[in-house]
PDB file of all heavy atoms in Angstrom:
ATOM      1  N   ASN A  91     -74.499-170.251 -57.446  1.00 96.00           N
ATOM      2  CA  ASN A  91     -73.429-171.172 -57.231  1.00 96.00           C
ATOM      3  C   ASN A  91     -73.820-172.435 -56.423  1.00 96.00           C
ATOM      4  O   ASN A  91     -73.051-173.304 -56.217  1.00 96.00           O
ATOM      5  CB  ASN A  91     -72.232-170.474 -56.570  1.00 96.00           C
ATOM      6  CG  ASN A  91     -71.729-169.319 -57.368  1.00 96.00           C
ATOM      7  OD1 ASN A  91     -71.800-169.421 -58.605  1.00 96.00           O
ATOM      8  ND2 ASN A  91     -71.262-168.266 -56.711  1.00 96.00           N
ATOM      9  N   GLY A  92     -75.043-172.401 -55.971  1.00 96.00           N
ATOM     10  CA  GLY A  92     -75.498-173.568 -55.203  1.00 96.00           C
ATOM     11  C   GLY A  92     -75.724-174.818 -56.068  1.00 96.00           C
ATOM     12  O   GLY A  92     -75.721-174.720 -57.270  1.00 96.00           O
ATOM     13  N   GLU A  93     -75.910-175.930 -55.403  1.00 97.00           N
ATOM     14  CA  GLU A  93     -76.096-177.189 -56.174  1.00 97.00           C
ATOM     15  C   GLU A  93     -77.529-177.516 -56.365  1.00 97.00           C
ATOM     16  O   GLU A  93     -77.914-178.557 -57.009  1.00 97.00           O
ATOM     17  CB  GLU A  93     -75.351-178.354 -55.412  1.00 97.00           C
ATOM     18  CG  GLU A  93     -73.861-178.269 -55.499  1.00 97.00           C
ATOM     19  CD  GLU A  93     -73.170-179.018 -54.374  1.00 97.00           C
ATOM     20  OE1 GLU A  93     -73.798-179.935 -53.837  1.00 97.00           O
ATOM     21  OE2 GLU A  93     -71.978-178.711 -54.122  1.00 97.00           O
ATOM     22  N   GLY A  94     -78.413-176.711 -55.811  1.00 96.00           N
ATOM     23  CA  GLY A  94     -79.850-176.994 -55.973  1.00 96.00           C
ATOM     24  C   GLY A  94     -80.381-177.990 -54.966  1.00 96.00           C
ATOM     25  O   GLY A  94     -81.381-178.666 -55.222  1.00 96.00           O
ATOM     26  N   THR A  95     -79.696-178.127 -53.797  1.00 97.00           N
ATOM     27  CA  THR A  95     -80.168-179.075 -52.739  1.00 97.00           C
ATOM     28  C   THR A  95     -80.476-178.240 -51.478  1.00 97.00           C
ATOM     29  O   THR A  95     -80.193-176.994 -51.468  1.00 97.00           O
ATOM     30  CB  THR A  95     -79.031-180.026 -52.398  1.00 97.00           C
ATOM     31  OG1 THR A  95     -77.941-179.316 -51.897  1.00 97.00           O
ATOM     32  CG2 THR A  95     -78.650-180.860 -53.591  1.00 97.00           C
ATOM     33  N   ALA A  96     -81.049-178.861 -50.473  1.00 96.00           N
ATOM     34  CA  ALA A  96     -81.410-178.186 -49.254  1.00 96.00           C
ATOM     35  C   ALA A  96     -80.130-177.716 -48.523  1.00 96.00           C
ATOM     36  O   ALA A  96     -80.126-176.656 -47.918  1.00 96.00           O
ATOM     37  CB  ALA A  96     -82.203-179.144 -48.268  1.00 96.00           C
ATOM     38  N   GLU A  97     -79.057-178.507 -48.668  1.00 96.00           N
ATOM     39  CA  GLU A  97     -77.820-178.118 -47.972  1.00 96.00           C
ATOM     40  C   GLU A  97     -77.071-177.055 -48.797  1.00 96.00           C
ATOM     41  O   GLU A  97     -76.366-176.212 -48.218  1.00 96.00           O
ATOM     42  CB  GLU A  97     -76.864-179.396 -47.911  1.00 96.00           C
ATOM     43  CG  GLU A  97     -77.407-180.506 -47.015  1.00 96.00           C
ATOM     44  CD  GLU A  97     -78.549-181.300 -47.723  1.00 96.00           C
ATOM     45  OE1 GLU A  97     -78.505-181.434 -48.890  1.00 96.00           O
ATOM     46  OE2 GLU A  97     -79.505-181.670 -47.038  1.00 96.00           O
ATOM     47  N   SER A  98     -77.193-177.097 -50.112  1.00 97.00           N
ATOM     48  CA  SER A  98     -76.496-176.156 -51.012  1.00 97.00           C
ATOM     49  C   SER A  98     -77.518-175.546 -51.993  1.00 97.00           C
ATOM     50  O   SER A  98     -77.515-175.887 -53.138  1.00 97.00           O
ATOM     51  CB  SER A  98     -75.352-176.831 -51.731  1.00 97.00           C
ATOM     52  OG  SER A  98     -74.816-176.008 -52.658  1.00 97.00           O
ATOM     53  N   PRO A  99     -78.386-174.717 -51.438  1.00 98.00           N
ATOM     54  CA  PRO A  99     -79.615-174.274 -52.281  1.00 98.00           C
ATOM     55  C   PRO A  99     -79.208-173.223 -53.340  1.00 98.00           C
ATOM     56  O   PRO A  99     -78.270-172.415 -53.113  1.00 98.00           O
ATOM     57  CB  PRO A  99     -80.522-173.676 -51.237  1.00 98.00           C
ATOM     58  CG  PRO A  99     -79.649-173.224 -50.098  1.00 98.00           C
ATOM     59  CD  PRO A  99     -78.431-174.138 -50.089  1.00 98.00           C
ATOM     60  N   ARG A 100     -79.944-173.289 -54.391  1.00 98.00           N
ATOM     61  CA  ARG A 100     -79.851-172.185 -55.365  1.00 98.00           C
ATOM     62  C   ARG A 100     -81.051-171.255 -55.145  1.00 98.00           C
ATOM     63  O   ARG A 100     -80.977-170.065 -55.582  1.00 98.00           O
ATOM     64  CB  ARG A 100     -79.988-172.723 -56.825  1.00 98.00           C
ATOM     65  CG  ARG A 100     -78.696-173.362 -57.299  1.00 98.00           C
ATOM     66  CD  ARG A 100     -78.907-174.291 -58.467  1.00 98.00           C
ATOM     67  NE  ARG A 100     -79.319-173.668 -59.759  1.00 98.00           N
ATOM     68  CZ  ARG A 100     -78.509-173.119 -60.573  1.00 98.00           C
ATOM     69  NH1 ARG A 100     -77.207-173.047 -60.362  1.00 98.00           N
ATOM     70  NH2 ARG A 100     -78.978-172.642 -61.758  1.00 98.00           N
ATOM     71  N   ASP A 132     -85.492-174.702 -53.170  1.00 98.00           N
ATOM     72  CA  ASP A 132     -84.585-175.659 -52.591  1.00 98.00           C
ATOM     73  C   ASP A 132     -84.653-175.657 -51.036  1.00 98.00           C
ATOM     74  O   ASP A 132     -84.457-176.697 -50.464  1.00 98.00           O
ATOM     75  CB  ASP A 132     -83.131-175.405 -53.072  1.00 98.00           C
ATOM     76  CG  ASP A 132     -83.044-175.485 -54.503  1.00 98.00           C
ATOM     77  OD1 ASP A 132     -83.774-176.294 -55.122  1.00 98.00           O
ATOM     78  OD2 ASP A 132     -82.170-174.790 -55.078  1.00 98.00           O
TER      79      ASP A 132
END
Side-chain angles (χ1 to χ4, degrees):
N91 301 328
E93 288 159 21
T95 61
E97 298 72 37
S98 172
R100 281 161 69 83
D132 297 332

